[in-house]
Amino acid sequence: MRYVILAFVFINIVINYMDRTNVSIAMPELAKEIGLTTVQQGLIFSAFGWIYAAMQIPGGLLLDRFGSRIMYFISLFGWSLMTVFQAFIGSFGQLMGLRLGVGFFEAPVMPANNRAISYWFPEGERGSAIGIYSSAQFLGLAFSTPILYTIHNSIGWRGLFIITGVIGIIWSIIWYTFYTDPEKNRFIGDDELAYIRAGGAITDGDRSLSAGEQTPKEKLSWANLKQLFTRRLLGIYIGQFAISGTFWFFLTWFPTYLTKAKHINFMQTGILSSIPYLAAFCGVILAGIISDRLIKMGKSPSFARKAPVITGLLLTLLILGANYVSSPVLIILFMSVAFFGNGLATITWVFVTALAPKNLIGLAGGIFNGCGALSSIVIPIVIGFLVSKGNFSSALVFVAVIALLGALSYIFIVGKIDLEKD
């Protein structure tokens, strides 16, 4: 059953990122139709992140209170409805408002994913599980991007929003009907439940003093909050901002970069832009498998968990190579290597489970994801200003510098991780 749940989480993320990226595909034609400047486009791209970041801590608290099932249903249904409404906009202000709405409803999503996996998977399998579900954002975009471009070309950007939104509404009902935590799931066997609990999965039983008796939920206090801002947690928060920075360049400005800066035609862009996503997918899968295998080989958890992240952030620096070539093949090669590195580094959710207090995983995940969400605000806006005169070279330098800061954070701030003490 845990692999069925993993498949459901995978599909959730595919839909989630499809609804984040559809605006970037629609933007060239949409901007022309309603008259948006590059600065306004940057604001549209970042609007999602404004409220998404602000709602991470409240979303984490609600997640700890109500669980993944109900919170995910509300989120998925809500952002999908906002997506459908985007088909009917006619001005900058309307689109801004709806992108804020998408960000509001998507806020609990990534902490909810992490919570579901923490409940369903033992520690020894969690790295691979996180790697698999994290890869959904890249694999889903790799295969859906050409399809989304085809939909756009067939029925326009308004039809694109309608179709992607309706898919999410239907899936939200399926999720609510099927998903529960392990101890409430009618399909899980006793052996599997015992296995995941013995392996360190977080279940309702962790709060039981005895059969039928539950520990009262600990109240949030300053002492608890201090546990969420240790040096190592601060280090992974900084790292998450850096990793998300590269991702948000690809999720927002990448199609415009190919069409406007490198003069690649629209349909060719739809095909070429899927290649870096496939590379990132390979990076995520490889990171999770290697990390878990290193643990089983007896390597230190610090080395096994951090090595893919640091290596990936350093590989991201190769995005600068695209500044010095004009061939579409070489441009996509540099972009693909950089995004492969970004995928390799995306296993970082494993640090939330490893370093955060068990009773505050939802809140810690909210803070962690909120730091990543800050990049969804900063990166699109800064790039919008940097490319206002049509030059993307400085934008790629900016992305590379952020990635370098992330690598330095994991090396010098996070330091050695001792899972036995944490």
Side-chain angles (χ1 to χ4, degrees), residues 122-260:
E123 171 62 31
E125 298 178 359
R126 202 170 294 154
S128 294
I130 291 173
I132 290 170
Y133 87 64
S134 296
S135 72
Q137 59 194 346
F138 303 114
L139 186 65
L141 289 173
F143 286 101
S144 67
T145 296
I147 296 172
L148 296 179
Y149 273 94
T150 301
I151 293 171
H152 178 282
N153 284 348
S154 299
I155 56 178
W157 60 269
R158 297 183 188 274
L160 175 64
F161 285 129
I162 291 174
I163 289 178
T164 52
V166 167
I167 289 172
I169 290 172
I170 294 171
W171 183 254
S172 70
I173 298 170
I174 296 173
W175 167 267
Y176 184 77
T177 302
F178 185 84
Y179 179 85
T180 63
D181 289 338
E183 292 188 351
K184 299 175 183 177
N185 191 282
R186 65 183 183 275
F187 299 110
I188 191 172
D190 292 338
D191 289 345
E192 184 175 17
L193 182 60
Y195 171 74
I196 65 176
R197 291 185 64 185
I202 300 170
T203 71
D204 291 339
D206 290 333
R207 295 191 296 271
S208 297
L209 291 174
S210 60
E213 182 181 359
Q214 291 188 333
T215 305
K217 291 189 176 181
E218 188 175 349
K219 293 182 179 180
L220 193 62
S221 65
W222 285 112
N224 286 337
L225 289 176
K226 286 181 181 179
Q227 296 179 61
L228 299 176
F229 293 96
T230 63
R231 188 197 73 197
R232 282 175 291 180
L233 282 171
L234 286 172
I236 69 170
Y237 297 159
I238 294 170
Q240 187 65 5
F241 177 89
I243 293 166
S244 297
T246 302
F247 180 74
W248 278 98
F249 163 74
F250 280 93
L251 203 65
T252 57
W253 282 104
F254 185 49
T256 302
Y257 166 76
L258 293 179
T259 56
K260 301 298 183 182

Side-chain angles (χ1 to χ4, degrees), residues 71 100 103 119 126 140 159 176 212 268 290 296 303-304 311 327 359 363 372 379:
M71 289 306 298
L100 288 169
Y119 268 60
R126 202 170 294 154
Y176 184 77
Q268 191 179 10
I290 290 177
K296 293 176 180 178
F303 176 81
T311 302
S327 164
N359 63 312
L363 183 54
I379 301 301

